[in-house]
Every structure is written in C-alpha cells, then in structure tokens.
Amino acid sequence: MKLFMRLFFSLTLAAVVAAVALCGSENPSLEIETDNRPITPTDEILLVSYADVLDRATPSVVAVYTTRLETVRSNPFFGRNGMEDLFRQFGMPVPERDSDNTRQRESTGVGSGVIISKDGYIITNRHVVAAERNQKIDEIKVRLADDREYTAELIGEDAKTDVAVLRIESDEPLPSITVADSNLLRVGDVVFAIGNPLEVGLTATKGIVSATGRDSLDILGQGSYENFIQTDASINMGNSGGALIDAWGRLVGINTAILSRSGGSIGIGLAIPSNLALGIAQKLVNKGEVQRGLLGIMPGDLSQELADSFGLESTSGAIVNQVQEDSPAARGG
C-alpha cells in the first residue's frame, strides 16, 4: 500500500510540474506523438519486409525547395576584369552600355524535411533553408509525398546545431511522424534514411547505427554543438533535413551530413539525434531563437597523451584550451 501511495504521489507531482511548465511558456508546446519504448521484436513487425514500416513514416517526410532572386550582369563582356578593362588597357574608348545591364536570376536549392506535428510544423537543417554567405531566401516551398505543395514560413533557425523549423498551413491535419527516444539507440540497430536525394523523389535507404555521440568533427563550425548518430544508410545531396527512422518507423534523427572524399556516400552518414533536434525545435517555436548561457571557455577533448602528461587516471572530462577575455570564466578566475 505504501509503495502504491508513493507511486501515486510521484505521478501526481510530475503532472503538476508538467502543467506548470506548459503554462509558463509564451506559446503552447508542440503536440508531438512520442514512443519511448526500446526496439524489441513484436508480432506487429514482420522482419521479412520493412514496407509497412516505411508506409508509416514516408508520408511525414517532405521535399524542401528554396528560391533566391539574385542580380546578375546580362552582358558577360562587361564588368570587373571584363572587356571594359581590356579597352582601357589599349587606350581605346570604352563602348557605351545600357544603363540597365542587370537581370534577375532564380537560384534554387533542394533538401528534405520532416513533419513533426499535425498542425504543420516541419523540422529540417538550417543549411537547407539558408543561402550561401547568409543571404536572404526569398521563398520556401514544401512538397509532400502525395505531391501537395505549400509555401512555408521560416519559424526559426539555429546555426550552432544546424536545425531549422518551418511551418505550413493546411485545412486538414498533416501526417506527422512519431518520435522515439534517441538516447535508447544502440550500435547495430536497423535504421532507414528517407529524403529527396538529388531531387529524384522520396527515397528510403537501409543501414544500421554505426556509432553514436560523434562530436569534434568540425562539420558545423567552431562553437557548434555536435552529437551525431553515424549510420551506413546511404545519405546523398538532397537528403539533408530528412528523417532517420528506426525499425518501427519512429524518428530517431535528422539526416545532416556525410564524410566523403568523393562527395558521394561511402557509408559514413551523420544525423542529429531526435532528442537534440526536437529540443531545439521547441525553443524555436516558443521563442523564435535558442538562448544559451555563456561560460567563456574553449574546451577540447582530453586525449590519453594529455591525461598522462597531467598525471590523470582517465580521459573523462575536458581540457580548457582558451579563456575568452572579459567572460564569466575570466572573471571567475
């Protein structure tokens, strides 16, 4: 009886804390269906084919198209280091040109995304919806698996994790994906990468989890937060932002990058874990940005060589490579 009362009190307290947390946010939380069970064999999943699994997840994966209007010169013979300089070099008069010597050209990009809520929120990679050199994207289009197409709104983006959130408006509920607890992934788990590689259309590739917790790869740049799932499921250009799902069709990661000398998939694909991606997405939906505290240090991995030189017994922890000036760490000594 005492055990039952303790359990009842714990559940009640958890419900109250959750309710207070929800009431305290500026915007309502995302309504995401979750399933935190680890993968175990069941009568519902036939191991001879994964068609039923993909049928569950594929409708939630979308193709993302971006358009940017850029101004270009209409006459390639004029301009910097062009024919004008050649005429001047030989002392010849420069021919007059039209005052309107430019034109607008569409620059397009292709990627993927995943619908995470029935009211139209989509998670993708930031680099899918961000132009080069941080130039403005003029339009984002989203195409569903059934060829429905929508104009998407960029809700927010986070460069440090390469996560972005879009939203589309539909008169009916959209096919959202079920999300798993990515902390339960194990090396050897079967996974599928779904996306729009090379704009051929929605494609699924199969592999396993090759490793978890891949960091310090310097893929996202200095000061970023890297914690990738590694998989040998083929990921190619256009797969970025798509879904990495498990054998039950649940989202476990967002396909993000590959390691390759050739530019094509050689079996080292990287995905952002669903727990990390959805935590960032929730902040982008609620606040439009991700607010972080500043410590003011540049940490690095503690290798065995460094541990030996410092007389440490293990390589757990990190080494401080640099302390930023006038930062909390500097003021704290």
Side-chain angles (χ1 to χ4, degrees):
M1 186 63 180
K2 291 182 178 180
L3 179 61
F4 174 80
M5 292 301 295
R6 289 178 182 176
L7 179 60
F8 177 79
F9 177 76
S10 299
L11 292 174
T12 303
L13 180 60
V16 171
V17 171
V20 171
L22 288 174
C23 292
S25 61
E26 294 184 3
N27 295 309
S29 298
L30 291 172
E31 296 182 2
I32 300 172
E33 183 180 352
T34 61
D35 181 352
N36 294 326
R37 297 175 296 168
I39 286 287
T40 54
T42 72
D43 295 334
E44 301 175 5
I45 305 296
L46 300 177
L47 297 182
V48 294
S49 173
Y50 289 97
D52 291 337
V53 171
L54 294 175
D55 284 344
R56 299 177 187 177
T58 300
S60 304
V61 183
V62 301
V64 178
Y65 299 91
T66 60
T67 302
R68 183 173 65 87
L69 296 178
E70 55 184 2
T71 301
V72 296
R73 292 184 180 275
S74 60
N75 190 335
F77 291 105
F78 292 98
R80 185 177 298 175
N81 298 326
M83 289 297 294
E84 290 179 343
D85 293 338
L86 185 61
F87 276 96
R88 292 190 182 98
Q89 183 178 351
F90 288 95
M92 301 171 62
V94 178
E96 294 184 2
R97 58 178 178 175
D98 294 336
S99 58
D100 186 10
N101 191 38
T102 61
R103 61 185 175 86
Q104 292 291 105
R105 181 180 69 183
E106 283 191 358
S107 176
T108 59
V110 180
S112 305
V114 188
I115 302 174
I116 56 173
S117 67
K118 296 184 184 299
D119 55 348
Y121 285 101
I122 296 171
I123 193 168
T124 185
N125 285 136
R126 177 186 179 271
H127 74 258
V128 169
V129 295
E132 296 181 358
R133 298 179 295 276
N134 293 321
Q135 294 175 322
K136 181 179 178 294
I137 290 292
D138 292 292
E139 186 178 56
I140 303 174
K141 291 283 189 181
V142 168
R143 183 180 298 164
L144 275 60
D146 59 8
D147 288 333
R148 284 183 291 169
E149 193 169 288
Y150 299 87
T151 298
E153 175 190 3
L154 178 60
I155 299 299
E157 54 186 317
D158 181 51
K160 291 186 179 294
T161 56
D162 198 18
V163 171
V165 175
L166 310 175
R167 190 179 187 188
I168 58 176
E169 293 188 3
S170 174
D171 295 333
E172 56 189 34
L174 293 165
S176 61
I177 201 164
T178 299
V179 182
D181 183 353
S182 57
N183 288 336
L184 300 179
L185 277 179
R186 298 182 299 168
V187 173
D189 283 349
V190 172
V191 287
F192 301 85
I194 310 176
N196 181 31
L198 302 175
E199 204 178 351
V200 299
L202 285 181
T203 302
T205 57
K206 175 177 171 291
I208 64 168
V209 173
S210 304
T212 59
R214 290 296 194 209
D215 57 10
S216 303
L217 299 177
D218 199 27
I219 291 176
L220 303 182
Q222 188 176 15
S224 60
Y225 298 89
E226 295 184 347
N227 179 27
F228 292 115
I229 301 165
Q230 181 183 330
T231 179
D232 62 348
S234 294
I235 297 175
N236 290 287
M237 293 180 62
N239 270 117
S240 292
L244 187 72
I245 66 169
D246 63 17
W248 283 359
R250 307 174 302 180
L251 183 72
V252 294
I254 302 297
N255 302 323
T256 299
I258 61 173
L259 295 181
S260 172
R261 292 187 176 92
S262 64
S265 175
I266 59 171
I268 307 179
L270 302 169
I272 301 170
S274 58
N275 289 5
L276 173 59
L278 288 172
I280 297 296
Q282 183 72 68
K283 294 175 182 176
L284 292 176
V285 169
N286 287 342
K287 302 287 187 179
E289 62 179 352
V290 179
Q291 298 175 334
R292 296 182 173 93
L294 174 66
L295 183 57
I297 64 171
M298 299 296 292
D301 291 335
L302 185 61
S303 65
Q304 186 62 54
E305 183 180 357
L306 287 172
D308 292 341
S309 67
F310 289 124
L312 302 176
E313 296 181 356
S314 72
T315 58
S316 61
I319 184 170
V320 177
N321 291 325
Q322 180 182 351
V323 177
Q324 297 175 341
E325 294 183 5
D326 195 28
S327 67
R331 291 191 294 271

